[in-house]
Amino acid sequence: MAIEIERKFLVKSDEWRSLASGELYAQGYIANEAGKTVRVRIVGDRGYLTIKGPGKMGGARPEFEYPIPIKDAQEMIETLCNQPVIEKTRYKISLGELIWEVDEFHGNNQGLILAEVELTSEDQEITIPDWIGAEVTSDRRYFNAYLAEHPYQEWGIN
Amino acid sequence: MAIEIERKFLVKSDEWRSLASGELYAQGYIANEAGKTVRVRIVGDRGYLTIKGPGKMGGARPEFEYPIPIKDAQEMIETLCNQPVIEKTRYKISLGELIWEVDEFHGNNQGLILAEVELTSEDQEITIPDWIGAEVTSDRRYFNAYLAEHPYQEWGIN
């Protein structure tokens, strides 16, 4: 098991766009209950199965991830996940020692852009780039598993 | 994906005991919703993660199974599965072309013994040994995921 410690932010400007190229992600959820999620993800021609446990304040969350055959991932996404699944382009941006992952959502989550940064400890000090907006680490609405069931375009805030 | 086609029966006598030696299984459920189950299993020093989709009449059920590190399986069973998990001894018995799996449950499912046989098609004709009792293929109470939440010893029929 890895413990994933992550902080998540809204993105307030487009300055990050010149810094990276993106890759298309599709992901669905086989289960989402009691803080536990079972996720199937396709990135290019790679498939992954990921189990996450309940998160804690501060952003730490147990995570188990396994590569699986792309064909299995496609079948699970088509037959075992609620539709439509999450589609987003993920941009990875190296700044100092950190890698920022900017997710630009598509489909019925179009309009939402989130930035995540993975930390080595919960109290790690980080430099926040200018294009980063409000922190939403503990706001469950921005969990991908929540967005899969309650897409951003249905929030009524746009 | 495999399609698992399985018939399940009660066991009505002890004649099967001389036919096989058993192996201890421990298994818990990370998720059990809408006919989909996510199971973690430990057999000896091997760990497995198994996703099953909704079953159909006749016993066919989509199944995806992956070996995982034993340490991951132990951590998931301890931290992500409802307690107590299912413990059983599984005996594999070859009879003709078929392999019968007899599960003798322990802990709070003690007293329950089930026999399963995997088929290659839903209409495959099989020879039923004398020690096999009533068929329970479609009776959800005998699903291991159900037994994990509603142990046999609490059924009030013993």
Side-chain angles (χ1 to χ4, degrees), chain B:
Chain B
M1 174 180 63
I3 296 282
E4 180 187 49
I5 308 172
E6 216 170 60
R7 290 178 67 185
K8 188 181 288 191
F9 301 86
L10 300 178
V11 169
K12 66 181 182 189
S13 80
D14 274 344
E15 287 171 55
W16 57 273
R17 288 194 186 273
S18 61
L19 302 174
S21 62
E23 195 167 26
L24 197 61
Y25 282 53
Q27 62 192 48
Y29 292 84
I30 293 173
N32 177 26
E33 61 184 31
K36 299 178 288 185
T37 56
V38 179
R39 183 186 74 197
V40 185
R41 175 182 272 178
I42 294 174
V43 186
D45 60 355
R46 286 129 42 215
Y48 301 93
L49 184 61
T50 307
I51 316 281
K52 295 192 188 193
K56 294 185 185 141
M57 291 302 289
R61 200 169 180 200
E63 178 180 309
F64 302 84
E65 184 159 78
Y66 309 102
I68 59 171
I70 179 77
K71 189 162 173 294
D72 286 8
Q74 285 162 341
E75 285 180 345
M76 280 193 255
I77 279 190
E78 282 164 21
T79 64
L80 299 183
C81 297
N82 289 338
Q83 302 297 325
V85 296
I86 297 256
E87 292 188 319
K88 62 188 183 183
T89 302
R90 171 162 286 185
Y91 301 83
K92 295 192 182 183
I93 300 167
S94 281
L95 289 175
E97 291 178 352
L98 299 174
I99 295 172
W100 291 82
E101 295 177 336
V102 176
D103 286 345
E104 184 175 28
F105 289 81
H106 308 301
N108 57 4
N109 285 297
Q110 187 90 37
L112 180 62
I113 302 177
L114 292 173
E116 289 177 357
V117 64
E118 195 158 338
L119 308 181
T120 51
S121 70
E122 290 182 35
D123 55 1
Q124 183 178 350
E125 299 226 351
I126 61 172
T127 303
I128 307 284
D130 286 345
W131 44 271
I132 288 293
E135 179 160 8
V136 295
T137 301
S138 300
D139 188 337
R140 302 182 64 82
R141 294 178 304 159
Y142 294 99
F143 285 20
N144 281 240
Y146 182 92
L147 292 167
E149 292 174 15
H150 309 278
Y152 184 65
Q153 296 215 337
E154 294 170 12
W155 288 14
I157 58 172
N158 303 307

